[in-house]
Amino acid sequence: KFATVPLLFFALPVAESFTLNQGSPVPTSFSASPVDKTAAAMDAQIGQQVQKQGAPPPPVASAPARAASLQAKAPEVTVQGGSLKTWAFSSPSVERVMVNLKTEGRPLDADVELWAGPDNTPHKIRVYVENGATRPFNAVMETPRGPNTIAVRNIGQLEFPMGAQVEAISAAEPLGSGASAEPMSAPVVVQGGALRTFPFDPSVDSVQILLTTDGRPLNARIELLQGPNNNKQVLELYTEDGLDRPFYTILESPGSGNVIRIVNTATVEFPMTVSVGAFSLSTQTPFEELKPVISGFGDSAYGSSRADRENFKYGLN
């Protein structure tokens, strides 16, 4: 009996101490190790820096949505004659930019350049449009490995201002794969110094063009003709690498008799590949497009049928 008492005596304090440790709150100093405390402090510091820098930029628009609308969401900037405007994209995630130039109905004459570092211009476009309201300029420029800057110079006179919109778009899909009326044609090889012509039906309102190479420089001239030697729009472009920086544009082609003429202005050692297709079709029927306007009435209140015009002529209406 006397031998078991010390065992009970020593067992009780052990049980009591275990209960106290289990019920008491864990001290704060022992809640995390020094490594966990350092990680938490770094996370807090990074969170403060993110709050100071502001929220991340919103995601760019998708390529099919942008191609379907042809209306840039970026604010329009007026570029006066003889002046220069630049759009800098410092983020390397911007790999594709859309450029939209237009006027209020006056001619458009501009230079569009891509600057990638000091004294490095890998992409140049010379743009001439007879009417910047009827046929605005729309093009997509590849901007890999940023930062990059888009420079738009109005080389026209002071009386010919223009509106410019430059916007970053998604580069997840290949060029020319967006929503369009018809798929692009099979690629056609155009040797250096050669030309190709592509006539279009009057029902085609706009045409999409894609120029590429196998990695060699690209020099080309694109013309939109409506009638013999009647240039409505002319593009002269240069790209240092037609595989890394292909050229994609959409030309407005209202009316009938539209022909796309593409010339490879490089030498015979630098061939290029051309793909052309209808981008959008007219909503009018062929009969409505070819219907003449007789006596200046057309579809006015006097009527467009022969009986209506005769009744108006003799005062029967």
Side-chain angles (χ1 to χ4, degrees), residues 196-254:
R196 292 290 185 274
T197 57
F198 303 89
F200 284 91
D201 192 78
S203 61
V204 177
D205 272 351
S206 60
V207 179
Q208 55 181 345
I209 303 172
L210 176 63
L211 305 182
T212 59
T213 65
D214 57 356
R216 306 180 191 185
L218 172 64
N219 291 271
R221 177 185 176 95
I222 303 174
E223 301 176 359
L224 173 61
L225 297 91
Q226 193 173 25
N229 297 324
N230 185 12
N231 290 328
K232 296 297 183 179
Q233 187 167 348
V234 180
L235 306 178
E236 295 180 354
L237 61 101
Y238 161 77
T239 301
E240 69 174 7
D241 189 341
L243 181 63
D244 193 25
R245 303 177 189 273
F247 178 71
Y248 178 78
T249 184
I250 298 174
L251 303 182
E252 301 292 333
S253 57

Side-chain angles (χ1 to χ4, degrees), residues 236-291:
E236 295 180 354
L237 61 101
Y238 161 77
T239 301
E240 69 174 7
D241 189 341
L243 181 63
D244 193 25
R245 303 177 189 273
F247 178 71
Y248 178 78
T249 184
I250 298 174
L251 303 182
E252 301 292 333
S253 57
S256 59
N258 292 288
V259 177
I260 301 295
R261 181 166 62 185
I262 301 177
V263 184
N264 188 346
T265 57
T267 58
V268 71
E269 298 84 6
F270 301 97
M272 67 178 183
T273 303
V274 179
S275 298
V276 180
F279 183 78
S280 63
L281 301 178
S282 175
T283 57
Q284 296 181 349
T285 63
F287 176 78
E288 292 176 347
E289 293 180 351
L290 301 177
K291 183 173 58 176

Side-chain angles (χ1 to χ4, degrees), residues 48 51 57 71 90 95 170 228 232 236 274 307:
Q48 293 177 0
Q51 291 179 358
Q71 298 294 330
S90 58
E95 298 182 349
S170 175
K232 296 297 183 179
E236 295 180 354
V274 179

